Protein backbone atom coordinates (compact mmCIF):
# COMPACT_ATOMS: atom_id res chain seq x y z
CA UNK A 1 0.00 0.00 0.00
CA UNK A 2 0.98 3.64 -0.35
CA UNK A 3 2.86 5.96 1.93
CA UNK A 4 1.10 9.34 1.86
CA UNK A 5 2.12 12.85 2.82
CA UNK A 6 -1.12 14.70 3.55
CA UNK A 7 -1.06 18.52 3.62
CA UNK A 8 -4.41 20.01 4.52
CA UNK A 9 -6.43 22.39 6.59
CA UNK A 10 -6.70 21.24 10.19
CA UNK A 11 -10.46 21.81 10.34
CA UNK A 12 -12.40 20.44 13.31
CA UNK A 13 -12.24 16.62 13.27
CA UNK A 14 -11.99 16.16 9.50
CA UNK A 15 -8.23 15.87 9.04
CA UNK A 16 -7.98 13.18 11.72
CA UNK A 17 -10.85 11.25 10.15
CA UNK A 18 -9.30 11.49 6.69
CA UNK A 19 -6.07 10.07 8.11
CA UNK A 20 -8.01 7.28 9.81
CA UNK A 21 -9.76 6.46 6.52
CA UNK A 22 -6.48 6.05 4.67
CA UNK A 23 -5.13 3.91 7.49
CA UNK A 24 -8.22 1.66 7.35
CA UNK A 25 -7.47 1.23 3.64
CA UNK A 26 -3.99 -0.01 4.57
CA UNK A 27 -1.95 3.12 3.79
CA UNK A 28 0.66 4.85 5.94
CA UNK A 29 0.02 8.58 6.27
CA UNK A 30 1.87 11.60 7.63
CA UNK A 31 -0.31 14.66 8.20
CA UNK A 32 0.98 18.23 8.23
CA UNK A 33 -1.44 21.14 8.74
CA UNK A 34 -1.62 23.67 5.92
CA UNK A 35 -0.73 26.46 8.33
CA UNK A 36 0.61 26.97 11.84
CA UNK A 37 -2.51 27.55 13.96
CA UNK A 38 -0.70 28.71 17.09
CA UNK A 39 -1.70 31.89 18.92
CA UNK A 40 1.11 33.93 17.37
CA UNK A 41 0.12 32.96 13.82
CA UNK A 42 -3.56 33.64 14.45
CA UNK A 43 -2.76 37.07 15.86
CA UNK A 44 -0.47 37.98 12.97
CA UNK A 45 -3.01 36.78 10.40
CA UNK A 46 -5.57 39.15 11.86
CA UNK A 47 -3.45 42.20 12.66
CA UNK A 48 -0.24 41.96 10.56
CA UNK A 49 -0.83 40.15 7.23
CA UNK A 50 2.67 40.82 5.93
CA UNK A 51 4.33 39.32 8.98
CA UNK A 52 1.90 36.42 8.89
CA UNK A 53 2.81 35.72 5.25
CA UNK A 54 6.50 35.53 6.16
CA UNK A 55 5.75 33.27 9.10
CA UNK A 56 3.58 31.02 6.89
CA UNK A 57 6.30 30.77 4.24
CA UNK A 58 8.83 29.79 6.90
CA UNK A 59 6.44 27.15 8.21
CA UNK A 60 6.00 25.67 4.73
CA UNK A 61 9.78 25.62 4.33
CA UNK A 62 10.05 23.58 7.54
CA UNK A 63 7.41 21.14 6.29
CA UNK A 64 9.41 20.64 3.08
CA UNK A 65 12.68 20.18 4.97
CA UNK A 66 11.11 17.65 7.34
CA UNK A 67 9.86 15.60 4.38
CA UNK A 68 13.34 15.30 2.87
CA UNK A 69 14.79 11.81 3.05
CA UNK A 70 11.38 10.19 3.41
CA UNK A 71 9.82 8.20 0.61
CA UNK A 72 6.22 9.03 -0.33
CA UNK A 73 4.13 7.38 -3.01
CA UNK A 74 1.45 10.09 -2.83
CA UNK A 75 1.56 13.75 -1.81
CA UNK A 76 -1.98 14.92 -1.14
CA UNK A 77 -2.98 18.56 -0.81
CA UNK A 78 -6.44 19.59 0.35
CA UNK A 79 -6.38 23.24 -0.71
CA UNK A 80 -3.13 24.72 -1.99
CA UNK A 81 -3.73 28.44 -2.53
CA UNK A 82 -1.82 29.40 0.64
CA UNK A 83 1.38 27.82 -0.73
CA UNK A 84 3.93 29.66 -2.89
CA UNK A 85 4.46 28.12 -6.31
CA UNK A 86 8.18 27.90 -5.61
CA UNK A 87 7.51 25.92 -2.43
CA UNK A 88 5.23 23.40 -4.16
CA UNK A 89 7.79 23.01 -6.95
CA UNK A 90 10.55 22.41 -4.40
CA UNK A 91 8.46 19.77 -2.61
CA UNK A 92 7.80 18.10 -5.95
CA UNK A 93 11.51 18.10 -6.78
CA UNK A 94 12.23 16.32 -3.49
CA UNK A 95 9.63 13.63 -4.22
CA UNK A 96 9.96 13.12 -7.97
CA UNK A 97 8.42 9.63 -7.94
CA UNK A 98 5.36 10.59 -5.88
CA UNK A 99 1.91 11.10 -7.38
CA UNK A 100 0.79 14.65 -6.49
CA UNK A 101 -2.95 14.99 -5.85
CA UNK A 102 -4.95 18.17 -5.22
CA UNK A 103 -8.48 18.21 -3.77
CA UNK A 104 -10.48 21.42 -3.45
CA UNK A 105 -13.49 21.76 -1.19
CA UNK A 106 -13.94 25.41 -2.04
CA UNK A 107 -15.20 26.58 -5.43
CA UNK A 108 -13.21 28.66 -7.91
CA UNK A 109 -15.23 31.71 -6.90
CA UNK A 110 -13.84 31.36 -3.37
CA UNK A 111 -10.27 30.33 -4.15
CA UNK A 112 -8.95 30.17 -7.70
CA UNK A 113 -6.71 27.11 -7.63
CA UNK A 114 -6.12 26.93 -11.39
CA UNK A 115 -2.63 28.53 -11.29
CA UNK A 116 -1.48 25.64 -9.05
CA UNK A 117 -2.90 22.81 -11.17
CA UNK A 118 0.31 22.53 -13.21
CA UNK A 119 2.09 21.16 -10.11
CA UNK A 120 -0.23 18.13 -9.80
CA UNK A 121 -0.76 14.82 -11.53
CA UNK A 122 -4.46 14.73 -10.68
CA UNK A 123 -6.90 17.36 -9.47
CA UNK A 124 -10.41 16.92 -8.04
CA UNK A 125 -13.07 19.23 -6.70
CA UNK A 126 -16.35 19.01 -4.81
CA UNK A 127 -17.92 21.46 -7.26
CA UNK A 128 -19.40 19.82 -10.39
CA UNK A 129 -19.55 23.06 -12.40
CA UNK A 130 -15.86 23.71 -11.73
CA UNK A 131 -15.02 20.11 -12.61
CA UNK A 132 -16.85 20.38 -15.93
CA UNK A 133 -15.28 23.75 -16.78
CA UNK A 134 -11.74 22.56 -16.03
CA UNK A 135 -11.99 18.95 -17.18
CA UNK A 136 -11.03 17.57 -13.76
CA UNK A 137 -12.56 14.98 -11.42
CA UNK A 138 -15.82 15.71 -9.59
CA UNK A 139 -15.71 14.11 -6.16
CA UNK A 140 -18.38 15.21 -3.65
CA UNK A 141 -17.64 15.69 0.01
CA UNK A 142 -18.03 12.86 2.50
CA UNK A 143 -19.38 11.84 5.88
CA UNK A 144 -17.26 10.33 8.63
CA UNK A 145 -18.25 7.08 10.41
CA UNK A 146 -20.05 8.83 13.29
CA UNK A 147 -22.79 10.01 10.92
CA UNK A 148 -23.49 6.43 9.88
CA UNK A 149 -24.06 5.48 13.53
CA UNK A 150 -26.75 7.97 14.54
CA UNK A 151 -29.10 6.68 17.26
CA UNK A 152 -32.53 6.28 15.58
CA UNK A 153 -34.28 5.63 18.90
CA UNK A 154 -33.82 9.10 20.40
CA UNK A 155 -36.99 11.21 20.58
CA UNK A 156 -37.25 13.89 17.88
CA UNK A 157 -37.66 16.99 20.02
CA UNK A 158 -37.20 19.47 17.16
CA UNK A 159 -38.88 19.57 13.78
CA UNK A 160 -36.07 21.40 11.99
CA UNK A 161 -32.63 22.64 12.98
CA UNK A 162 -29.99 24.85 11.44
CA UNK A 163 -26.32 25.33 12.32
CA UNK A 164 -24.35 28.02 10.55
CA UNK A 165 -22.93 31.51 10.51
CA UNK A 166 -24.81 34.77 10.08
CA UNK A 167 -22.47 36.54 7.68
CA UNK A 168 -25.05 38.80 6.09
CA UNK A 169 -28.48 40.29 6.61
CA UNK A 170 -29.72 38.27 3.65
CA UNK A 171 -29.07 35.02 5.52
CA UNK A 172 -30.54 36.43 8.72
CA UNK A 173 -33.71 37.46 6.85
CA UNK A 174 -34.06 33.99 5.32
CA UNK A 175 -33.77 32.31 8.71
CA UNK A 176 -36.17 34.83 10.22
CA UNK A 177 -38.74 33.87 7.57
CA UNK A 178 -38.20 30.18 8.29
CA UNK A 179 -38.53 30.74 12.03
CA UNK A 180 -41.70 32.81 11.62
CA UNK A 181 -43.28 30.18 9.36
CA UNK A 182 -42.46 27.39 11.81
CA UNK A 183 -43.92 29.33 14.73
CA UNK A 184 -47.14 29.94 12.81
CA UNK A 185 -47.32 26.27 11.80
CA UNK A 186 -46.60 24.99 15.30
CA UNK A 187 -43.24 23.51 14.32
CA UNK A 188 -40.33 23.45 16.76
CA UNK A 189 -37.01 24.92 15.58
CA UNK A 190 -33.50 24.76 16.99
CA UNK A 191 -30.92 27.21 15.66
CA UNK A 192 -27.23 27.65 16.44
CA UNK A 193 -26.30 30.88 14.68
CA UNK A 194 -22.68 31.96 14.95
CA UNK A 195 -22.70 35.73 14.73
CA UNK A 196 -19.79 38.16 14.49
CA UNK A 197 -19.73 41.21 16.79
CA UNK A 198 -20.27 43.46 13.76
CA UNK A 199 -23.45 41.66 12.65
CA UNK A 200 -24.61 41.35 16.26
CA UNK A 201 -24.29 45.11 16.73
CA UNK A 202 -26.15 45.73 13.47
CA UNK A 203 -29.00 43.50 14.62
CA UNK A 204 -29.19 45.21 18.01
CA UNK A 205 -29.40 48.62 16.37
CA UNK A 206 -32.27 47.40 14.20
CA UNK A 207 -34.02 45.75 17.12
CA UNK A 208 -33.86 42.30 15.54
CA UNK A 209 -32.99 38.93 16.99
CA UNK A 210 -33.48 35.19 16.61
CA UNK A 211 -33.23 32.28 19.04
CA UNK A 212 -29.80 30.67 18.96
CA UNK A 213 -27.66 33.71 18.18
CA UNK A 214 -24.25 33.13 19.72
CA UNK A 215 -20.61 34.09 19.55
CA UNK A 216 -19.40 30.55 20.23
CA UNK A 217 -19.09 27.72 17.69
CA UNK A 218 -20.94 24.50 18.28
CA UNK A 219 -18.87 21.41 18.99
CA UNK A 220 -19.02 18.17 17.06
CA UNK A 221 -21.02 16.45 19.78
CA UNK A 222 -23.52 19.31 19.64
CA UNK A 223 -24.08 18.75 15.91
CA UNK A 224 -24.60 15.02 16.43
CA UNK A 225 -27.06 15.77 19.22
CA UNK A 226 -29.08 18.06 16.95
CA UNK A 227 -29.21 15.45 14.18
CA UNK A 228 -30.35 12.74 16.57
CA UNK A 229 -33.09 14.93 18.08
CA UNK A 230 -34.40 16.63 14.90
CA UNK A 231 -36.61 15.51 12.04
CA UNK A 232 -34.92 17.69 9.43
CA UNK A 233 -32.25 20.28 8.75
CA UNK A 234 -32.25 23.37 6.54
CA UNK A 235 -29.48 23.61 3.96
CA UNK A 236 -28.78 27.04 2.50
CA UNK A 237 -27.83 27.17 -1.16
CA UNK A 238 -24.53 28.97 -1.61
CA UNK A 239 -24.89 30.62 -5.00
CA UNK A 240 -21.09 30.93 -5.27
CA UNK A 241 -20.80 27.14 -5.61
CA UNK A 242 -22.63 24.20 -7.17
CA UNK A 243 -21.13 21.55 -4.87
CA UNK A 244 -23.11 20.12 -1.98
CA UNK A 245 -22.31 21.29 1.52
CA UNK A 246 -20.83 19.06 4.16
CA UNK A 247 -24.07 19.64 6.09
CA UNK A 248 -26.16 18.08 3.33
CA UNK A 249 -23.89 15.05 2.93
CA UNK A 250 -23.65 14.37 6.67
CA UNK A 251 -27.38 14.68 7.29
CA UNK A 252 -28.20 12.50 4.30
CA UNK A 253 -25.88 9.78 5.59
CA UNK A 254 -27.36 10.15 9.08
CA UNK A 255 -30.89 9.65 7.74
CA UNK A 256 -32.07 13.15 8.66
CA UNK A 257 -34.52 14.83 6.29
CA UNK A 258 -33.14 17.78 4.35
CA UNK A 259 -34.83 21.01 3.27
CA UNK A 260 -32.65 22.62 0.60
CA UNK A 261 -32.60 25.48 -1.87
CA UNK A 262 -30.28 23.66 -4.29
CA UNK A 263 -32.32 22.60 -7.36
CA UNK A 264 -29.61 20.16 -8.48
CA UNK A 265 -30.90 17.76 -5.85
CA UNK A 266 -33.88 16.82 -8.05
CA UNK A 267 -31.57 15.31 -10.69
CA UNK A 268 -29.45 13.23 -8.31
CA UNK A 269 -29.69 9.42 -8.23
CA UNK A 270 -29.95 9.64 -4.44
CA UNK A 271 -32.94 12.01 -4.49
CA UNK A 272 -36.00 10.68 -2.64
CA UNK A 273 -39.21 12.66 -2.14
CA UNK A 274 -39.54 11.49 1.46
CA UNK A 275 -35.97 12.57 2.30
CA UNK A 276 -35.47 15.86 0.43
CA UNK A 277 -37.65 18.94 0.05
CA UNK A 278 -36.69 21.65 -2.43
CA UNK A 279 -37.88 25.11 -1.45
CA UNK A 280 -37.96 27.97 -3.91
CA UNK A 281 -37.91 31.60 -2.84
CA UNK A 282 -38.28 30.65 0.82
CA UNK A 283 -41.75 29.22 0.23
CA UNK A 284 -42.04 26.80 3.15
CA UNK A 285 -45.69 25.87 2.62
CA UNK A 286 -44.83 22.23 1.85
CA UNK A 287 -42.76 21.84 5.02
CA UNK A 288 -45.43 20.52 7.47
CA UNK A 289 -46.53 17.76 5.09
CA UNK A 290 -42.91 16.85 4.30
CA UNK A 291 -42.02 16.56 8.00
CA UNK A 292 -45.11 14.47 8.75
CA UNK A 293 -44.39 12.00 5.96
CA UNK A 294 -42.51 8.92 7.21
CA UNK A 295 -39.30 7.87 5.52
CA UNK A 296 -39.98 4.60 3.74
CA UNK A 297 -37.49 4.71 0.86
CA UNK A 298 -34.20 2.85 0.82
CA UNK A 299 -31.03 4.82 0.20
CA UNK A 300 -27.52 3.43 -0.16
CA UNK A 301 -25.13 6.17 0.97
CA UNK A 302 -21.98 4.05 1.05
CA UNK A 303 -20.46 6.08 -1.80
CA UNK A 304 -20.34 9.08 0.54
CA UNK A 305 -18.40 7.34 3.33
CA UNK A 306 -15.01 8.96 3.92
CA UNK A 307 -13.34 5.62 3.15
CA UNK A 308 -14.92 5.56 -0.34
CA UNK A 309 -13.92 9.20 -0.82
CA UNK A 310 -10.30 8.47 0.16
CA UNK A 311 -10.11 5.40 -2.07
CA UNK A 312 -11.41 7.34 -5.08
CA UNK A 313 -9.22 10.35 -4.44
CA UNK A 314 -5.86 8.61 -4.69
CA UNK A 315 -7.08 6.27 -7.41
CA UNK A 316 -8.00 9.31 -9.53
CA UNK A 317 -11.27 7.77 -10.67
CA UNK A 318 -14.42 9.77 -11.35
CA UNK A 319 -17.55 8.98 -9.36
CA UNK A 320 -21.09 10.29 -9.30
CA UNK A 321 -20.57 12.11 -12.60
Amino acid sequence: MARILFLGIDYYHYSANICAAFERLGHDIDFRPMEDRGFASKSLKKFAPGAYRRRLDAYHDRVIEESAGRHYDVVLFIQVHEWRHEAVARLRALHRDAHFVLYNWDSLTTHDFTPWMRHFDSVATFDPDDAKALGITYLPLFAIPRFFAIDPARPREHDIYFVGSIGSMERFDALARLHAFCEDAGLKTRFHLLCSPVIRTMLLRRGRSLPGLTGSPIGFDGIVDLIETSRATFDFANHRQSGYTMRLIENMCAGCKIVTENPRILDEPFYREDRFLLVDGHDFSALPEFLARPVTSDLDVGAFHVDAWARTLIAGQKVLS
Side-chain angles (χ1 to χ4, degrees):
M1 289 297 184
R3 183 166 184 82
I4 303 169
L5 175 60
F6 169 27
L7 306 163
I9 48 179
D10 197 8
Y11 183 64
Y12 287 103
H13 50 276
Y14 292 115
S15 56
N17 274 275
I18 290 170
C19 290
F22 280 116
E23 288 170 351
R24 284 192 295 271
L25 295 173
H27 304 300
D28 293 324
I29 189 161
D30 292 333
F31 172 67
R32 298 292 181 270
M34 189 63 67
E35 59 182 345
D36 179 1
R37 297 290 291 167
F39 176 77
S41 290
K42 288 182 179 180
S43 300
L44 289 174
K45 187 174 185 177
K46 187 173 183 179
F47 299 110
Y52 169 74
R53 179 72 252 182
R54 292 189 294 274
R55 186 181 181 90
L56 182 62
D57 291 346
Y59 170 72
H60 289 164
D61 290 341
R62 290 198 302 275
V63 169
I64 294 169
E65 291 167 6
E66 289 169 2
S67 76
R70 300 182 184 183
H71 170 76
Y72 291 108
D73 302 292
V74 176
V75 176
L76 168 63
F77 279 75
I78 295 184
Q79 312 294 67
V80 70
H81 59 276
E82 294 282 5
W83 278 66
R84 308 182 322 278
H85 288 280
E86 177 275 329
V88 180
R90 188 150 41 92
L91 182 65
R92 174 127 205 177
L94 275 175
H95 305 284
R96 295 181 183 277
D97 297 329
H99 188 80
F100 273 62
V101 180
L102 171 62
Y103 184 77
N104 300 277
W105 64 22
D106 279 328
S107 65
L108 284 173
T109 55
T110 302
H111 297 122
D112 184 1
F113 54 85
T114 54
W116 282 265
M117 287 174 55
R118 59 187 171 88
H119 299 293
F120 293 89
D121 300 297
S122 60
V123 181
T125 176
F126 89 118
D127 191 295
D129 287 352
D130 290 349
K132 184 177 181 180
L134 298 173
I136 60 177
T137 299
Y138 166 47
L139 180 62
L141 291 169
F142 54 83
I144 64 174
R146 182 66 181 86
F147 291 101
F148 292 84
I150 294 297
D151 183 359
R154 290 189 65 183
R156 304 291 173 167
E157 302 171 6
H158 320 294
D159 290 300
I160 190 164
Y161 85 91
F162 176 78
V163 173
S165 300
I166 303 296
S168 67
M169 289 304 300
E170 180 183 10
R171 173 163 286 198
F172 179 88
D173 290 340
L175 286 168
R177 285 192 291 269
L178 173 62
H179 182 258
F181 175 88
C182 289
E183 279 202 324
D184 291 342
L187 301 175
K188 295 181 179 178
T189 60
R190 180 71 183 274
F191 292 167
H192 185 99
L193 310 175
L194 188 62
C195 193
S196 70
V198 173
I199 297 292
R200 195 69 176 268
T201 300
M202 186 185 303
L203 292 172
L204 287 172
R205 288 175 177 172
R206 298 182 184 185
R208 306 191 65 188
S209 186
L210 272 175
L213 285 174
T214 179
S216 302
I218 189 171
F220 177 67
D221 290 340
I223 293 175
V224 171
D225 181 69
L226 283 174
I227 292 175
E228 290 186 336
T229 58
S230 303
R231 301 181 194 281
T233 190
F234 184 63
D235 179 66
F236 265 109
N238 184 338
H239 300 294
R240 292 170 57 84
Q241 67 185 45
S242 64
Y244 294 117
T245 63
M246 190 72 83
R247 181 186 304 112
L248 186 144
I249 301 296
E250 290 172 343
N251 280 271
M252 178 177 69
C253 293
C256 188
K257 291 190 171 197
I258 297 167
V259 181
T260 182
E261 298 176 306
N262 194 333
R264 287 189 60 249
I265 203 75
L266 299 178
D267 298 323
E268 294 290 357
F270 55 79
Y271 172 74
R272 305 287 188 276
E273 288 186 350
D274 56 351
R275 295 175 182 268
F276 295 93
L277 175 66
L278 176 66
V279 294
D280 184 18
H282 306 302
D283 176 7
F284 302 111
S285 58
L287 184 56
E289 182 180 353
F290 172 69
L291 292 174
R293 181 180 182 179
V295 174
T296 58
S297 64
D298 293 326
L299 182 60
D300 182 1
V301 291
F304 293 96
H305 195 287
V306 64
D307 289 12
W309 176 90
R311 184 183 296 109
T312 301
L313 185 60
I314 64 170
Q317 299 173 354
K318 293 186 178 182
V319 296
L320 298 174
S321 58

